Each structure stands twice: as C-alpha cells, then as structure tokens.
Amino acid sequence: MAQADGAAPTASRNLAPTASDNAALALKEVRLTLPTGNGLPAPLASVAPTPTPPRPDVPAPARQPRFYVGLVGAPDVTTVKFASVESPLPNLGVVLEYRLGRRLRLSTGLLRSTKQYSARREDCDFGEYAPYVKHRYFDDVDGTCTVLDVPLNLRYDLLSRPGYALYGSTGLSSFFMQRETYSYAYVEYNKPGYWEGEAMNANRHLFSILNLSVGYERTLSSRWSLHAEPYVKVPLAGVGVYKLKLTSAGVFVGVKYGF
C-alpha cells in the first residue's frame, strides 16, 4: 500500500528472539560439591530398644491337702427343753474331712460324750412303763447317758486367707446310746420311794440331731492346723428310753493333719 505523502516511515518490529536474548535466558549449570572425608555428616546413632524387665517369679500357690484327720475335744453341756443345765462333761473324738472344693468340705467322725441332764415328768415318754408310774408322784427324772455320736456335716469357708479361715458348718448326727441311767424320788400311796434303772445299747437314732457350728482355723504349716469351733446340737426327735429332746452345746478345740 502506498504511503501517504509526507508521512514518516515507521520501523517494522521484529518479534523473533535474538542470540543475545537466548544467551540471557540460558540456564546456568550449577555444580554441587559434596564435602568429603571428615566433612561428611555423622550418621544418626542407632537407638537400641529398651529391654523389658523380667517379670518377678510368682510363687505357685501351695497345694491344699485333699484329706484331713484330726482329734477334737469339748466341754459339753446338755439340757432337756432348758429345764436345767448341769455341769459340762467331756466330748472327745476323731474327725475326718474331705475337701470338695476350694471352700467346701465334707466331714464325719466318731465322738463319744457323756451327757447329764434333768427332765420334767411331762417331757418324758414312758411308753410301756406308763402304768407303773401312774400312781407315783414326782416332778423330775435325772438322767446320765454315754453316747456315740456319728456326724455328717458340710463345712463352708466364709473367709479364707493364707494363714487362717473362718467357716460355718451344718449337718446331721446319729446317736448310738451305749449306757443310760435314770432315777427319780417319788411318793406312791403316801409312801416315799426311790427308783433307778439302766439300759445298755438299747437305742439307736439315725440322723436325729441337727448340728450347727462356726469355727476359726489357724494354719501352722502346709499340713497342720489348729481350730476352735463353738457348736450346738438341736434335737429333731426324742432319744433314749424316754424319748427325751436333748440339746447340747460346747466348744470343740482340736488339731488336724492334711494329706
């Protein structure tokens, strides 16, 4: 296109980069020099795992014996419906126990006791002897008997510790009457008199007595122990010639050996 007259010519603009521009834009090569020799950074120290302290040895629990045998003795008092309470007499014997579990035991034994008591006339069952006493006037009958007692009890440890135990026990006893003696003073047809009689091995009463007791047992070693056991024996039926309701109480003291 023709330029207009009188107009100054304009220079054309070259947009292509020149060599100097390329040199300016060129990236400079950067060399990284790593330190050598002692200049290297020290490696991180390895951290050893903290050792777990060994667990202290826990002693194994001592093995409890399964069977026990022991000797017991008690001062024993007896009454018939609390008519009177006589002086205590000995109750001695041997006991056997079998451990059923950690707290439960089954026990039996053989005890021999002498019981002394006084019974009111109305508390006596004279049975076939009733016609003989019909015209006799008396208030009380005095009695003494020697008894073999065979208990069958369950014991439960209410509190069990390494050195001692508190327990309760209940069960039934069978009475085997060895010797019974009875006596009373009477008046018959306005004449005073005195009667005394005896029976030998005449009466057996199976599971006729309820046993109730609590006790404290102290361990002496892994096998030996001492115990004290207050008890009461409650009649479930009459015993002896006159079917008397004998109630007995005392405190057993004994020693036991476990195996």
Side-chain angles (χ1 to χ4, degrees):
M1 181 175 181
Q3 294 180 348
D5 294 339
T10 59
S12 63
R13 298 177 64 184
N14 188 2
L15 299 179
T18 63
S20 60
D21 293 334
N22 290 337
L25 294 175
L27 294 176
K28 294 183 179 180
E29 182 180 0
V30 178
R31 294 180 178 273
L32 296 177
T33 304
L34 296 176
T36 59
N38 294 334
L40 289 174
L44 295 177
S46 61
V47 179
T50 303
T52 303
R55 293 183 179 180
D57 293 335
V58 178
R63 176 184 175 273
Q64 292 183 324
R66 182 68 66 177
F67 295 93
Y68 301 84
V69 60
L71 298 174
V72 296
D76 184 272
V77 295
T78 301
T79 183
V80 179
K81 295 187 177 181
F82 300 96
S84 66
V85 178
E86 306 296 331
S87 299
L89 293 173
N91 187 5
L92 306 172
V94 59
V95 293
L96 302 172
E97 288 184 351
Y98 176 73
R99 180 180 293 279
L100 299 173
R102 190 171 66 90
R103 291 179 178 265
L104 192 63
R105 303 186 194 184
L106 178 68
S107 67
T108 185
L110 180 63
L111 308 171
R112 189 176 188 270
S113 63
T114 301
K115 301 182 180 297
Q116 189 174 9
Y117 43 87
S118 180
R120 291 181 288 258
R121 176 173 180 159
E122 58 268 26
D123 294 331
C124 299
D125 182 359
F126 292 100
E128 60 183 13
Y129 300 102
Y132 298 97
V133 300
K134 181 178 180 179
H135 301 289
R136 293 180 178 179
Y137 295 92
F138 57 92
D139 294 325
D140 303 306
V141 176
D142 296 324
T144 302
C145 62
T146 304
V147 179
L148 289 181
D149 178 359
V150 181
L152 184 62
N153 297 325
L154 275 177
R155 162 182 158 168
Y156 182 78
D157 290 349
L158 303 171
L159 178 64
S160 182
R161 294 293 183 267
Y164 67 92
L166 296 175
Y167 60 89
S169 179
T170 186
L172 298 174
S173 272
S174 298
F175 272 10
F176 298 87
M177 315 297 284
Q178 291 188 298
R179 181 181 180 183
E180 304 172 61
T181 60
Y182 300 96
S183 63
Y184 58 87
Y186 65 91
V187 175
E188 185 176 21
Y189 301 115
N190 295 323
K191 293 181 180 180
Y194 184 82
W195 178 88
E196 186 174 15
E198 182 179 86
M200 297 292 293
N201 300 315
N203 295 284
R204 299 178 180 179
H205 307 281
L206 300 179
F207 305 113
S208 59
I209 304 295
L210 174 65
N211 300 320
L212 299 171
S213 68
V214 294
Y216 173 81
E217 184 170 338
R218 184 71 182 181
T219 301
L220 300 179
S221 68
S222 60
R223 296 186 180 274
W224 290 97
S225 63
L226 296 174
H227 71 279
E229 184 176 343
Y231 68 88
V232 62
K233 293 179 175 288
V234 181
L236 301 178
V239 299
V241 173
Y242 296 136
K243 304 297 185 289
L244 297 174
K245 299 289 186 70
L246 300 182
T247 300
S248 301
V251 180
F252 279 124
V253 176
V255 58
K256 274 188 272 190
Y257 177 79
F259 58 95

